[in-house]
Amino acid sequence: MLCLAQTNDVPKDRLGELPQPWKEPIHRISFEEYDATLKYWAGQHPGIFTFEKRGESHDGQPVYLVKITDSAVPNEDKQVVLVSALHGGPERSGTTTTLHLIEWLLGGSDLAKETRRKQVVLIVPIANPYAFFTTDRFTNKQKIDLYDPQISYWDLPKLKLAVPQRTPELAAFLGIVDEYQPEMHLDLHGTGLQAFPDDKLGDRTMRQGQTMFEISACSYSNCGVRPWDPRVTEAMVQAGAAAGFGSDRAEADAQRCFYNPDHDVFRSRLW
Ligand SMILES: [Zn+2]
């Protein structure tokens, strides 16, 4: 029997022998590149791709809405789908995914063509341009998280924003929801710089090698959030597995009761 403790040839620097993907920087898309890419797609795909400015952040950066559909087919009977990445800035791969989705939707596959004939796909790749292009923090310039604003920013009985001038990016996003009333909204989260504290952000270069497990249709920060029938979620899990991406299954935990203090209001009904 030989174990490492008995040998003298332990390499001095084991870390140095391993692949070090984190030394490779990831290209940071600039506003100019984002803007030029949308204009390029509009020029390449007339009759399918349009985009428009729906609002702007406190510092004047535009919130763009992309619309993809086959304009030769009337919209009346089409399904409307809204896809966003409300946590980008810092969760940068959410935005990357929306851009890949656009590329796929503009492609020549039978499924992409069918999707364009049957659906109006609305995409907001960068809902919070101040977070994405300027800070890589979750909030807008007035320190409000668009994905999860405090309750005081909502007028919930009226389903409106209480102080829309403080959340202009969210006002732009809700304007899209109100106008199109989509049958489905998919919000993509992801990896990025969210876990880096302010004093570790440096020049905000993201590096290769970050990864996280796939999880759909549940938030582990609030396991009560299950927006769809579990069969829809399972179809997403199966499609991911078929494409080579294993997934965690929040629904496998569904029989457990996750207590947190928010559930106190239900205490008299549950136990
Ligand atoms: Zn997130």
Side-chain angles (χ1 to χ4, degrees):
M1 287 289 286
L2 184 72
C3 74
L4 269 180
Q6 293 170 321
T7 66
N8 292 324
D9 59 344
V10 176
K12 287 194 184 111
D13 181 10
R14 298 301 291 265
L15 189 59
E17 295 180 352
L18 296 171
Q20 299 186 8
W22 60 87
K23 291 189 172 173
E24 280 177 56
I26 295 174
H27 175 69
R28 161 176 292 280
I29 184 172
S30 67
F31 172 75
E32 290 70 27
E33 289 167 328
Y34 176 52
D35 187 64
T37 301
L38 298 186
K39 284 176 180 153
Y40 172 79
W41 276 328
Q44 291 290 308
H45 303 281
I48 294 175
F49 179 103
T50 56
F51 78 103
E52 61 173 317
K53 176 182 164 180
R54 296 291 300 213
E56 60 183 36
S57 59
H58 290 288
D59 58 347
Q61 300 188 75
V63 177
Y64 286 140
L65 167 66
V66 167
K67 190 199 291 189
I68 297 175
T69 195
D70 184 342
S71 63
V73 179
N75 282 348
E76 284 166 345
D77 293 328
K78 285 177 180 165
Q79 300 165 332
V80 179
V81 178
L82 173 61
V83 183
S84 58
L86 290 174
H87 254 171
E91 295 186 11
R92 306 188 68 82
S93 67
T95 289
T96 305
T97 306
T98 65
L99 298 174
H100 279 289
L101 173 66
I102 291 171
E103 212 160 40
W104 183 85
L105 283 167
L106 294 174
S109 70
D110 288 343
L111 194 54
K113 288 180 191 165
E114 183 184 353
T115 304
R116 299 197 298 257
R117 282 196 304 272
K118 292 183 175 175
Q119 296 192 345
V120 175
V121 186
L122 306 168
I123 303 162
V124 183
I126 298 176
N128 187 352
Y130 176 73
F132 193 90
F133 293 115
T134 308
T135 64
D136 278 292
R137 303 292 77 181
F138 279 123
T139 66
N140 72 4
K141 202 172 185 185
Q142 296 207 357
K143 303 283 183 209
I144 304 167
D145 185 338
L146 303 184
Y147 171 72
D148 194 12
Q150 291 172 335
I151 195 89
S152 59
Y153 294 111
W154 287 103
D155 179 351
L156 285 179
K158 293 180 183 163
L159 284 179
K160 289 188 178 310
L161 291 169
V163 204
Q165 63 272 26
R166 293 204 61 194
T167 53
E169 307 91 343
L170 194 52
F173 186 77
L174 286 184
I176 296 165
V177 174
D178 288 342
E179 179 181 338
Y180 288 95
Q181 301 184 19
E183 275 93 2
M184 179 160 166
H185 172 212
L186 181 69
D187 191 50
L188 298 159
H189 294 242
T191 56
L193 298 171
Q194 66 268 41
F196 289 69
D198 288 349
D199 63 348
K200 297 277 193 305
L201 264 182
D203 65 358
R204 296 169 46 235
T205 298
M206 193 174 159
R207 312 253 161 198
Q208 298 286 357
Q210 281 194 41
T211 187
M212 70 191 287
F213 57 89
E214 300 285 329
I215 170 69
S216 296
C218 180
S219 165
Y220 278 125
S221 61
N222 181 353
C223 291
V225 177
R226 288 191 159 79
W228 298 317
D229 184 292
R231 287 167 291 187
V232 176
T233 309
E234 184 59 22
M236 295 166 80
V237 169
Q238 296 292 345
F245 298 95
S247 179
D248 196 40
R249 267 190 180 80
E251 284 304 327
D253 301 332
Q255 68 275 23
R256 294 171 59 193
C257 183
F258 293 91
Y259 170 78
N260 71 53
D262 289 346
H263 294 155
D264 277 347
V265 292
F266 299 117
R267 186 190 293 263
S268 63
R269 296 175 215 173
L270 294 175
W271 58 80

